[in-house]
Amino acid sequence: VGLMNQGATCYMNSLLQSLFYTPEFRQMLFRFRHDPAAHGPEASSIPLQLQLLFARLRLSRGSALSTRALTDACGFSNRATSEQHDVQELCRVLFDALEQSSVFMKEEIHRLFAGRVKYWIRTREEHAGKIHESARTEQYMDLQVHIQGHAGLEESLKAMLEAEVLDGDNRWHCEDLGDKVAALKGMSFETLPDILCIQLMRFVFDYQTMRRKKLMDQFCCPLSLDLSFLLEGNEEPLCYNLTGVCLHSGTAHGGHYHAYTLDPYTEVWRDCNDSSVHVLGPEQTENLFKKREGVSGAGEAPVPVDRAFCSSDAYFLIYRRAGRPVPQAVDEDLPQSIREQLVEENVRLQVLQRAYAYHRKLRELKIFVGTMPPTGGESLSETAEQEPSAISISVSEDRFVADLLRRARAQLASSASK
């Protein structure tokens, strides 16, 4: 099921589809219970409107759904829906809104998406037999990764761990020593979340033109990635699998978003492009995630090592930790009232679809009846002046010609009797 674009909401549609195919997030939403006293009116409740939208994505028989109720709950004006925003910024705003709405959702979002990182500055050399250090630990919900000068995600992540040298005029003022000293500045990861969101820094400020620009460098994102190197002292494999990619095509001043998402239950990839959602076949998937080549030894031919999504448009990635059981976000997790509402919506939609399908097959035929010869008091000139009459008949295209003739005779006989 697709999502309608309200003008420039493709960024939102791509993020929502990616989160919908994140089973832990979907299960969390399905288990939410709206309380007007705690969460306010239904129309302005972001978690409820998002729950309704996800329920329709799961159960609706429609081909594309409106996101108007959700954007209204978020306070978006018509102008806001006609202006494109950043998908990573929307992700943060959405998570913040859900956390403020429900203690349960806050705990779940932090459990699923939050990790901890330590930023530190330490002296390059020992002073009085001691390395002095200043550090702070922060929580992160996503990683911002620089792509300029890097071929792929592993290379960029490793570059994040490289320490910056502070020397000369840029030396660090150590409070313990009361003086400026040469130092190293860096970061280290303490924990990684089960669902890791990564923003590729394609939009940068060009100091030569004094304008914002988009980097169009091709960047490779592996289907499977071992991130054990991010944690100090960790020797166990820590594998993550790519489950969602939001792509931005265009420039720094505008463009279009769409997403590739992985269904964790069927292992099938989908191309979600607003109202249009296409399931990718095996051949399409193989072309999308090509084998990368590595060199096995000096003078030897390159050998395929793994598959990766290589693109100049990839912008926002979702990785899921491998080895974790995939939770079943069952329909029964939804409130009974929502399930009943969707059953009624599907019944009405089915009636409309049948009526539409029937009327699409109808073909209107016009049969022109010539004038009859003069009878009684009519003169030949009076008869000639009469325009031929026409009979309109709507016939289904799958009916037989015999049925058409039968109905035409019936219409003519009715006209003659009148």
Side-chain angles (χ1 to χ4, degrees), residues 22-32 95 98-99 102-114 141 193-195 327:
T22 302
E24 294 87 350
F25 187 83
R26 190 198 306 184
Q27 184 184 65
M28 175 195 72
L29 267 183
F30 280 11
R31 292 180 175 177
F32 171 73
F95 283 3
L98 295 177
E99 290 175 19
S102 167
V103 174
F104 162 71
M105 285 194 171
K106 181 177 182 178
E107 294 174 348
E108 284 297 291
I109 288 174
H110 282 235
R111 181 181 68 84
L112 297 172
F113 296 92
M141 303 299 291
D194 286 347
I195 302 171

Side-chain angles (χ1 to χ4, degrees), residues 117-277:
V117 62
K118 183 173 76 171
Y119 296 97
W120 49 262
I121 301 178
R122 60 174 68 111
T123 57
R124 292 187 67 180
E125 301 174 352
E126 291 186 356
H127 293 262
K130 178 183 178 181
I131 295 291
H132 296 266
E133 180 182 276
S134 174
R136 73 181 191 277
T137 300
E138 294 182 0
Q139 176 180 274
Y140 64 90
M141 303 299 291
D142 53 50
L143 298 179
Q144 287 79 50
V145 177
H146 292 280
I147 67 170
Q148 195 165 21
H150 303 295
L153 186 57
E154 307 105 314
E155 187 178 325
S156 292
L157 291 173
K158 289 177 180 177
M160 292 178 65
L161 300 179
E162 296 177 358
E164 177 186 357
V165 178
L166 304 178
D167 56 8
D169 295 337
N170 198 32
R171 289 178 298 168
W172 171 49
H173 183 272
C174 178
E175 295 183 357
D176 293 342
L177 298 173
D179 195 8
K180 284 189 173 183
V181 295
L184 297 174
K185 179 182 178 182
M187 61 180 291
S188 57
F189 289 91
E190 295 186 345
T191 63
L192 295 175
D194 286 347
I195 302 171
L196 179 62
C197 297
I198 299 175
Q199 178 192 18
L200 304 181
M201 304 295 285
R202 288 201 176 275
F203 301 104
V204 297
F205 189 79
D206 188 340
Y207 287 96
Q208 291 184 345
T209 62
M210 300 302 291
R211 292 182 178 180
R212 190 167 178 256
K213 72 174 184 178
K214 179 185 176 184
L215 301 176
M216 303 299 292
D217 307 35
Q218 179 164 285
F219 194 78
C220 290
C221 310
L223 265 180
S224 297
L225 182 62
D226 184 0
L227 297 180
S228 57
F229 65 87
L230 291 180
L231 300 180
E232 291 183 357
N234 179 70
E235 298 181 356
E236 297 294 327
L238 194 57
C239 295
Y240 282 76
N241 295 325
L242 184 65
T243 61
V245 184
C246 295
L247 301 96
H248 177 273
S249 57
T251 69
H253 308 291
H256 179 66
Y257 282 94
H258 75 106
Y260 291 113
T261 61
L262 175 69
D263 188 330
Y265 304 108
T266 62
E267 295 294 320
V268 171
W269 282 88
R270 285 174 169 80
D271 181 3
C272 303
N273 192 351
D274 289 336
S275 299
S276 174
V277 176

Side-chain angles (χ1 to χ4, degrees), residues 330-400:
V330 296
D331 303 341
E332 287 71 20
D333 287 336
L334 286 166
Q336 179 68 23
S337 59
I338 290 180
R339 283 183 281 148
E340 293 174 353
Q341 176 182 340
L342 292 182
V343 169
E344 295 176 0
E345 288 181 4
N346 282 334
V347 170
R348 291 196 296 269
L349 181 61
Q350 192 172 18
V351 171
L352 292 174
Q353 288 174 336
R354 287 177 178 173
Y356 176 72
Y358 173 76
H359 283 282
R360 278 192 62 189
K361 293 182 177 181
L362 292 181
R363 297 293 182 266
E364 184 176 352
L365 302 178
K366 283 190 175 182
I367 300 176
F368 291 89
V369 182
T371 56
M372 301 295 291
T375 58
E378 296 178 345
S379 65
L380 183 62
S381 58
E382 290 176 346
T383 305
E385 291 176 357
Q386 296 178 4
E387 294 183 359
S389 59
I391 301 173
S392 295
I393 303 176
S394 294
V395 182
S396 176
E397 62 182 14
D398 56 2
R399 294 293 184 94
F400 294 103

